[in-house]
Amino acid sequence: MSHENDLVTVRAGDTEFEVSRRLLASVSETLEVMLNSSTYEAIQLQVSANRFRDFLWFLQANPMQFQQYANRVPETIRFQRSISIAAVAATYQANAIAEWAIQQIMEMLPRRSVDPELLTWLYHLARHYPDITLPAEGRWFSRTVTSKWCSQLVEASDPVPWLIAARNVQDTALRAQAYYFILQRRMAGQIAGDDRLSRLDRIRLSVGALNLRRHQRGTITYTPYDGDARNWQPRVECLPTHVRNEYDGVSLWDIFTRSPLGIDDQRGSQAED
């Protein structure tokens, strides 16, 4: 195949790129199938132009460029580029590239300030790649994301976006942490009329306040998550996840969902959330 015949037009967003057909096919079976089955002059990808441009940089960079990239490019730029590369690689199942990009993200994430939207995306990405670790530390991707979520919650002046993020990913452990910090900071009154909260959020905050007041002499202790990440039942590491009181071992989530009279609120939770 000649160099000219090897080139294919790829459209990402409103931008067109001339790319080696063989290069794309070599990193992703999904892209290979798209290239072989398309009858159009251009292949349309469902990613932004900026993200695909970063992905192409990874495919085309030589070892010298990689070394200069690691040593000279600011971490802020490297972090955003790794996000882009991971996004494109995950979308088109270029799994070896996705693993490289995720390991780069894991190494930098503890030092970066990120918003709930990005952490929500990383949480879902960790569900697709639960086995990825940092070899030097043996730290799971899922644990890295939940720990960062927790540290950002602690620093946030407004915990409601983090509560919404936990609701969106359907993680009760993270959601319980957000409820807990709202009460600990005595913010429940301030946000009582906040239309970002669901009716059930308000009920749970009231229930949690009563339960924590009722057991205020109890001590809050930390129970780490040490399960198999492939089962994806994460628990937050840097905040208490279990409350010890006369109901020894009651989870923090139960504090907000078990009424003082012992009536569980879960029957209507799905419909009202």
Side-chain angles (χ1 to χ4, degrees):
M1 180 182 291
S2 69
H3 175 71
E4 182 177 346
N5 291 336
D6 180 47
L7 292 179
V8 62
T9 300
V10 175
R11 185 180 296 114
D14 296 326
T15 305
E16 291 187 348
F17 301 84
E18 294 292 318
V19 189
S20 166
R21 183 185 298 267
R22 284 177 296 187
L23 181 61
L24 291 177
S26 70
V27 298
S28 165
E29 291 184 4
T30 301
L31 289 174
E32 182 179 20
V33 170
M34 291 176 63
L35 291 166
N36 291 337
S37 61
S38 176
T39 58
Y40 299 98
E41 294 183 0
I43 303 295
Q44 180 69 56
L45 299 184
Q46 301 304 312
V47 295
S48 70
N50 286 337
R51 286 192 165 181
F52 187 67
R53 188 176 290 108
D54 286 337
F55 183 74
L56 277 184
W57 170 87
F58 177 88
L59 295 185
Q60 297 170 346
N62 60 45
M64 182 64 71
Q65 289 173 314
F66 266 115
Q67 185 176 359
Q68 293 174 345
Y69 173 74
N71 295 334
R72 300 180 184 178
V73 176
E75 184 174 281
T76 300
I77 296 175
R78 288 189 286 117
F79 184 71
Q80 290 303 322
R81 180 171 284 177
S82 296
I83 293 290
S84 294
I85 294 169
V88 178
T91 300
Y92 295 101
Q93 298 178 315
N95 293 326
I97 297 175
E99 180 172 355
W100 177 87
I102 287 170
Q103 287 177 335
Q104 299 299 305
I105 293 167
M106 289 175 66
E107 196 278 325
M108 293 181 276
L109 184 60
R111 299 187 296 274
R112 308 311 306 167
S113 178
V114 294
D115 58 31
E117 183 179 359
L118 177 56
L119 269 182
T120 297
W121 179 79
L122 289 172
Y123 186 105
H124 289 300
L125 186 65
R127 279 182 163 168
H128 288 287
Y129 294 96
D131 296 329
I132 294 179
T133 63
L134 276 180
E137 303 176 26
R139 172 162 42 93
W140 294 105
F141 183 29
S142 58
R143 178 170 293 187
T144 302
V145 172
T146 53
S147 294
K148 184 61 179 180
W149 188 98
C150 184
S151 65
Q152 292 283 140
L153 169 65
V154 173
E155 298 169 2
S157 58
D158 179 8
V160 176
W162 299 96
L163 171 59
I164 294 171
R167 181 199 302 161
N168 290 340
V169 299
Q170 299 180 337
D171 189 310
T172 56
L174 296 183
R175 198 168 178 180
Q177 302 298 335
Y179 288 143
Y180 180 80
F181 263 82
I182 288 171
L183 292 180
Q184 186 191 56
R185 296 174 183 176
R186 306 190 179 191
M187 296 179 66
Q190 300 174 32
I191 64 173
D194 195 319
D195 58 11
R196 294 175 296 174
L197 297 179
S198 71
R199 175 176 176 271
L200 196 54
D201 287 331
R202 296 186 179 90
I203 292 174
R204 285 176 177 157
L205 284 167
S206 297
V207 168
L210 289 171
N211 277 327
L212 289 171
R213 189 178 304 121
R214 179 183 180 189
H215 305 302
Q216 61 184 337
R217 294 183 180 179
T219 58
I220 299 176
T221 59
Y222 155 60
T223 302
Y225 167 63
D226 293 317
D228 186 340
R230 286 168 294 189
N231 294 330
W232 191 249
Q233 292 294 328
R235 295 293 180 268
V236 178
E237 294 183 63
C238 53
L239 289 176
T241 58
H242 284 73
V243 174
R244 301 286 182 177
N245 47 46
E246 68 255 42
Y247 304 108
D248 191 37
V250 171
S251 72
L252 190 57
W253 176 247
D254 286 340
I255 291 297
F256 295 97
T257 58
R258 178 179 297 174
S259 80
L261 297 177
I263 301 173
D264 197 332
D265 79 346
Q266 295 302 301
R267 288 172 295 179
S269 63
Q270 296 302 318
E272 297 180 44
D273 260 350

